[in-house]
Amino acid sequence: MRESFFVTALRYKYFTVAICLLLITIAASGGRFLEFSDDYRIFFSKENPQLQAFEDMQNVYSKTDNVLFVLTPREGQVFTRETLQAVTELTEACWQIPYSLRVDSITNFQHTYAEEDDLVVEDLVLEPASLTEADLQRIRQIATSEPLLLNRLISPDGYVTGVNVTVQLPGKRPDEVPEVAAFVRNMAVELEAVHPGVEVRLTGMVMMNNAFPESSRRDMQVLYPLMFVSIVLMLALLLKSIPGTLTTTLVILLTIIGIMGLSGWAGVKLSAPSVGVPIIVMTLAVADCVHILVNFLHGMRNGLSRTEAMLESLRVNLGPVFLTTLTTAIGFLSLNFSDAPPFRDLGNMAAGGVVIAFVLAILFLPAMMMILPIKALRNDTVGSKTMTALANFVIRWRKPLFWGMGLLILLLVVQLPRNQLNDEFVKYFDHSIAFRADTDYTNEHLTGIYWIDYSVGSKGEDGVSDPEYLRHLDAFANWLRAQPYVLHVNAMTDIMKRLNKNMHGDDPAWYKLPDKKDLAAQYLLLYELSMPFGLDLNNQINVKRSATRITVTMDSISTKQLLNFEERAKAWLIENTPEYMWAEGASPSVMFSHIGERNIHSMLKGTSVALVLISLILVVALRSWRIGLISLLPNLAPMSMAFGLWAILDGQVGLALSVVTGMTLGIVVDDTVHFLSKYLRARREQGLNDIESVRYAFSTVGTALWVTSLVLVVGFLVLTFSDFQLNARLGLLTSITIAFALVADFLFLPPLLMKFGGSGANTETTDNHS
């Protein structure tokens, strides 16, 4: 029945091609629904506890999505009339930024001082052009000694300043982030044109959000065409068949179009990880085509007609190709265990692409090869000759290879514990990305982009004015400032100390917390009544006055260091404050720090489930417990070896690398399945012993294995050129894993089979032919 189906499909070749094209067209029509999400929150599921804590914080206080303008005067001094005029103009202009909620700078900082019995609250800088040198020195002294400004909006040396714009994106349109990014970039250009003595850089969460789609667009414009051209050239060189190369190219294009369209129908939102699906699908589509084409061309060279050669190739390859499609899909589907939704989308899209590629490889490709003019190759291919030589080498040196490969695997596996779970989400981007360069500069000269918020509760409503609460809060703030990597701490107690000093005639001796609750409450009320619109304390105190927010700005640190800091801060609160003040940190930094560790654990579970399923499938499909168990070693070894080598080369495993095992598991199994299927065919159908069966496997499938592995390695290596380091590191480690898989299947699996696969007759005699 199976053979008659393919006979019919080849006989009605034009109809077969038309049906395939029609189905792909229907699927592709869903592409119009595809959208790109540029929100970093997409990396976190709705159930993620750190995301929930962060959103709760944002619901209580004002939003923290921001754009930070970083201004550097070329003359090296912020406190000049020219520079302060530029800051003032920028501060006023920033209120026009779409969705802007608050603008903070040194010029509009609400400075307080006493004037007889009155409290004066006004902008720190008024009319910059009329400032005297004494005024400039006074402003500099205030700004560089004010805890709310130092290392946040002004550098200690007074050389760099910032204007921070808090925005509240409605989240109703996909172009909100690009809209804000384009607007502020235009503002920066205009400011530099009007004030050529000032350099402007841009950072903040909005600019980071915008960097995701920009990086992805660069990949689509540069890497995908590069990958496509590389594959076509390799296929033309290795297959030496223009029709075969052309048809495989069409299969690649149709597979990509089909899966992207289906993703649109499914409502998938593209993100930086999932936008790499075309490259993954591109490489996987080639694998099926190469296996079928190599045997097809080999059959024609041996004198079979075109139809006979294709039917024989399908007969030999349909089982293994279906099996590899199934195992590869299971491997990718295991990414659904990931804690990061973009990697789930990546797995589902890649799995769907694998299925589409399989259907096109067994229907569209054979039909096209019946239509296109093709000639049989006259001579054996270089690959076949190489495989014969390699088979002889492996058979002759099987014992040294068995022990040598075993030792190499062991040496790399013992390196695994050296890997550390570490990440820095700013470093997801290459230095060539403007956001990364500007953020690094900001971190070095002004302030950090990493922060942690703590919502510290009091006894109840209006409890933030309680002297005991304020003393504990101030002690916590001082402890935070003393910790490594902390650049700035924004705490309400600094405002309270300044107000207490102001209300005592600006006497420095009174720069301390008020000791009466009603007095503290009056200070806060008087201060807030004097604040201009948009600069109130809603970003620090909740509506019921029962909790305040402390914001800790940090240097660029790893996830391991940040998680350690978070644990120590939590422990300090438990040991030194009443229970109602205990709080946990919340921020994107905390979210990204936790998700790497969570993803490792969830992906280990997913990979284990996938491995059990794949192993059972192999045992059933290969009809041998012995061979099924033997296959586990070459299937597990490549991933262990790759991570062992990674421990030597880098040693840092973050969010991207946590999904490599699930993503590569199915791909790694492919080579093993194809080799074992040919080995078992020789044993069962031709009655060959283990050594001759290994030689047969090399001669029939060896070329296809190294060609497909080469294409996969090159394909994933192209990802290493991505500006988005999650994709770059993912591509590199995946390439290493696939390369190790080929080495294991060529140099370790055959010795395993000859040692444990079952003995055959005339072993020594057969061995002598090598």
Side-chain angles (χ1 to χ4, degrees):
M1 180 179 177
R2 183 175 64 184
E3 185 175 349
S4 63
F5 171 79
F6 286 111
V7 169
T8 303
L10 295 182
R11 179 181 301 165
Y12 299 101
K13 48 189 177 291
Y14 290 103
F15 178 77
T16 301
V17 169
I19 288 294
C20 290
L21 292 177
L22 176 62
L23 292 174
I24 292 297
T25 301
I26 294 173
S29 62
R32 66 186 186 276
F33 301 119
L34 283 176
E35 293 181 358
F36 192 100
S37 175
D38 46 26
D39 188 351
Y40 62 86
R41 292 175 180 83
I42 198 173
F43 281 94
F44 308 92
S45 64
K46 292 180 180 179
E47 300 79 23
N48 185 286
Q50 284 75 42
L51 175 62
Q52 291 176 348
F54 177 63
E55 290 183 337
D56 290 343
M57 183 81 69
Q58 297 231 310
N59 290 333
V60 172
Y61 305 97
S62 63
K63 302 292 183 180
T64 50
D65 286 341
N66 72 308
V67 176
L68 179 63
F69 290 82
V70 181
L71 282 63
T72 307
R74 299 184 192 279
E75 63 186 42
Q77 182 54 251
V78 168
F79 298 99
T80 64
R81 282 178 287 273
E82 294 76 15
T83 301
L84 292 177
Q85 181 64 39
V87 175
T88 300
E89 292 175 8
L90 178 61
T91 302
E92 294 173 356
C94 283
W95 289 103
Q96 304 305 315
I97 295 173
Y99 321 115
S100 60
L101 193 66
R102 181 186 180 102
V103 182
D104 291 287
S105 71
I106 57 171
T107 58
N108 78 342
F109 173 71
Q110 296 305 289
H111 175 54
T112 59
Y113 61 93
E115 193 170 83
E116 296 182 354
D117 293 333
D118 295 328
L119 174 69
V120 179
V121 182
E122 64 182 16
D123 290 353
L124 179 59
V125 179
L126 299 169
E127 300 181 5
S130 62
L131 294 174
T132 65
E133 289 301 319
D135 291 333
L136 292 172
Q137 288 301 316
R138 176 182 59 83
I139 292 170
R140 176 190 175 95
Q141 191 277 326
I142 293 172
T144 54
S145 60
E146 172 56 54
L148 296 180
L149 294 178
L150 190 62
N151 290 321
R152 177 170 171 256
L153 294 177
I154 188 68
S155 61
D157 53 19
Y159 289 171
V160 182
T161 188
V163 177
N164 188 64
V165 185
T166 304
V167 298
Q168 184 169 5
L169 300 173
K172 297 179 179 179
R173 295 185 292 109
D175 63 341
E176 291 170 359
V177 169
E179 178 187 4
V180 174
F183 194 95
V184 299
R185 282 173 175 167
N186 186 57
M187 288 179 62
V189 171
E190 291 179 354
L191 185 70
E192 289 184 333
V194 176
H195 299 279
V198 177
E199 293 180 4
V200 182
R201 293 174 174 83
L202 294 166
T203 185
M205 298 310 295
V206 171
M207 302 310 295
M208 186 183 82
N209 279 349
N210 191 64
F212 284 113
E214 286 190 340
S215 179
S216 299
R217 279 195 293 271
R218 190 260 182 187
D219 287 353
M220 289 187 284
Q221 293 168 358
V222 178
L223 296 188
Y224 294 0
L226 175 62
M227 174 59 201
F228 188 76
V229 170
S230 300
I231 286 180
V232 172
L233 290 177
M234 280 194 297
L235 287 173
L237 179 65
L238 299 172
L239 293 177
K240 298 182 179 179
S241 169
I242 293 177
T245 303
L246 175 62
T247 305
T248 303
T249 302
L250 288 174
V251 170
I252 293 170
L253 291 174
L254 292 175
T255 301
I256 293 173
I257 293 171
I259 191 56
M260 298 307 284
L262 288 178
S263 300
W265 283 117
V268 173
K269 284 191 175 183
L270 295 179
S271 58
S274 61
V275 84
V277 165
I279 282 187
I280 296 173
V281 169
M282 202 183 299
T283 54
L284 295 173
V286 171
D288 294 344
C289 296
V290 167
H291 281 288
I292 293 172
L293 283 173
V294 166
N295 284 100
F296 168 69
L297 296 172
H298 183 75
M300 288 191 65
R301 185 182 62 80
N302 289 339
L304 295 178
S305 69
R306 185 188 305 201
T307 303
E308 291 172 338
M310 183 56 72
L311 287 173
E312 175 62 17
S313 179
L314 288 171
R315 185 186 77 85
V316 171
N317 287 295
L318 183 62
V321 169
F322 172 77
L323 195 55
T324 56
T325 297
L326 181 59
T327 55
T328 302
I330 290 174
F332 279 114
L333 288 174
S334 73
L335 294 185
N336 280 284
F337 282 85
S338 171
D339 219 45
F343 289 110
R344 298 179 202 166
D345 295 336
L346 172 67
N348 293 331
M349 292 171 71
V354 169
V355 174
I356 293 174
F358 168 74
V359 174
L360 292 174
I362 64 172
L363 290 176
F364 180 81
L365 176 95
M368 285 296 296
M369 296 308 290
M370 297 300 104
I371 296 173
L372 297 174
I374 187 169
K375 294 181 180 180
L377 297 175
R378 294 182 180 179
N379 301 315
D380 202 359
T381 63
V382 175
S384 297
K385 295 177 181 177
T386 303
M387 287 300 102
T388 300
L390 180 60
N392 291 334
F393 170 80
V394 171
I395 292 170
R396 181 182 296 275
W397 300 99
R398 57 186 179 276
K399 289 182 180 179
L401 282 174
F402 174 79
W403 293 108
M405 284 297 299
L407 180 61
L408 175 62
I409 293 171
L410 183 62
L411 288 175
L412 289 175
V413 167
V414 297
Q415 304 299 319
L416 287 174
R418 293 177 56 185
N419 283 306
Q420 291 186 343
L421 180 62
N422 245 338
D423 235 342
E424 287 187 50
F425 68 82
V426 170
K427 293 183 180 178
Y428 286 174
F429 302 95
D430 188 73
H431 290 281
S432 61
I433 298 293
F435 164 75
R436 170 69 188 279
D438 289 354
T439 300
D440 285 349
Y441 178 88
T442 302
N443 193 78
E444 183 180 353
H445 295 91
L446 180 61
T447 190
I449 191 174
Y450 291 16
W451 84 86
I452 303 178
D453 284 335
Y454 293 90
S455 180
V456 183
S458 64
K459 288 182 179 180
E461 194 166 339
D462 294 322
V464 298
S465 300
D466 183 79
E468 180 188 7
Y469 171 81
L470 291 174
R471 283 195 298 273
H472 285 307
L473 191 69
D474 192 47
F476 182 46
N478 290 332
W479 179 86
L480 290 170
R481 291 186 177 106
Q483 302 311 301
Y485 309 112
V486 172
L487 298 177
H488 182 265
V489 176
N490 191 10
M492 185 199 71
T493 51
D494 294 317
I495 296 176
M496 199 63 84
K497 291 177 187 177
R498 177 156 47 89
L499 291 175
N500 195 37
K501 183 188 74 169
N502 297 149
M503 299 307 291
H504 288 84
D506 282 335
D507 184 353
W510 286 92
Y511 186 77
K512 57 185 179 181
L513 294 171
D515 55 6
K516 295 181 180 179
K517 182 176 180 179
D518 58 347
L519 199 59
Q522 290 176 16
Y523 288 171
L524 275 179
L525 178 63
L526 183 61
Y527 181 66
E528 288 195 277
L529 289 175
S530 305
M531 300 284 281
F533 175 78
L535 294 178
D536 52 37
L537 294 180
N538 289 340
N539 66 327
Q540 287 183 269
I541 307 176
N542 68 356
V543 175
K544 293 183 177 181
R545 298 288 195 273
S546 61
T548 64
R549 174 164 68 177
I550 288 186
T551 300
V552 186
T553 305
M554 309 193 73
D555 201 346
S556 289
I557 60 175
S558 68
T559 56
K560 187 176 181 180
Q561 293 168 325
L562 190 142
L563 291 174
N564 176 265
F565 172 86
E566 186 192 14
E567 285 298 318
R568 288 188 292 108
K570 189 191 306 183
W572 190 94
L573 283 171
I574 292 174
E575 293 174 5
N576 297 278
T577 65
E579 185 174 350
Y580 58 78
M581 294 187 68
W582 297 355
E584 294 194 14
S587 73
S589 306
V590 174
M591 290 153 56
F592 276 103
S593 296
H594 278 279
I595 196 172
E597 185 174 7
R598 290 167 60 89
N599 218 46
I600 283 284
H601 295 151
S602 59
M603 285 313 304
L604 283 175
K605 185 187 302 180
T607 303
S608 300
V609 171
L611 183 62
V612 170
L613 286 176
I614 289 173
S615 299
L616 291 175
I617 289 171
L618 290 181
V619 168
V620 173
L622 299 176
R623 293 177 293 155
S624 171
W625 280 100
R626 181 197 296 266
I627 298 299
L629 291 174
I630 288 175
S631 70
L632 287 177
L633 279 174
N635 287 340
L636 290 175
M639 291 178 287
S640 301
M641 294 169 70
F643 274 96
L645 180 61
W646 190 262
I648 298 172
L649 298 176
D650 189 286
Q652 305 296 310
V653 176
L655 177 60
L657 302 190
S658 65
V659 301
V660 167
T661 53
M663 202 174 83
T664 59
L665 179 60
I667 301 174
V668 166
V669 172
D670 287 4
D671 289 352
T672 307
V673 167
H674 279 288
F675 196 95
L676 287 175
S677 67
K678 299 302 185 290
Y679 170 85
L680 290 174
R681 183 178 294 275
R683 293 294 300 270
R684 293 166 178 170
E685 294 185 5
Q686 302 183 25
L688 300 179
N689 63 20
D690 52 359
I691 291 178
E692 286 303 322
S693 296
V694 165
R695 183 177 280 114
Y696 174 83
F698 269 108
S699 65
T700 54
V701 80
T703 299
L705 289 185
W706 75 261
V707 169
T708 54
S709 295
L710 179 61
V711 170
L712 286 168
V713 168
V714 171
F716 282 102
L717 278 177
V718 170
L719 278 178
T720 63
F721 294 99
S722 173
D723 293 330
F724 190 58
Q725 291 302 298
L726 251 71
N727 287 345
R729 292 161 69 86
L730 177 70
L732 179 58
L733 188 54
T734 302
S735 297
I736 293 173
T737 304
I738 295 171
F740 275 138
L742 183 65
V743 172
D745 284 318
F746 274 179
L747 302 181
F748 189 53
L749 177 59
L752 273 175
L753 291 171
M754 287 183 280
K755 188 172 182 65
F756 302 109
S759 59
N762 302 319
T763 299
E764 294 302 322
T765 303
T766 307
D767 191 19
N768 290 334
H769 291 301
S770 63

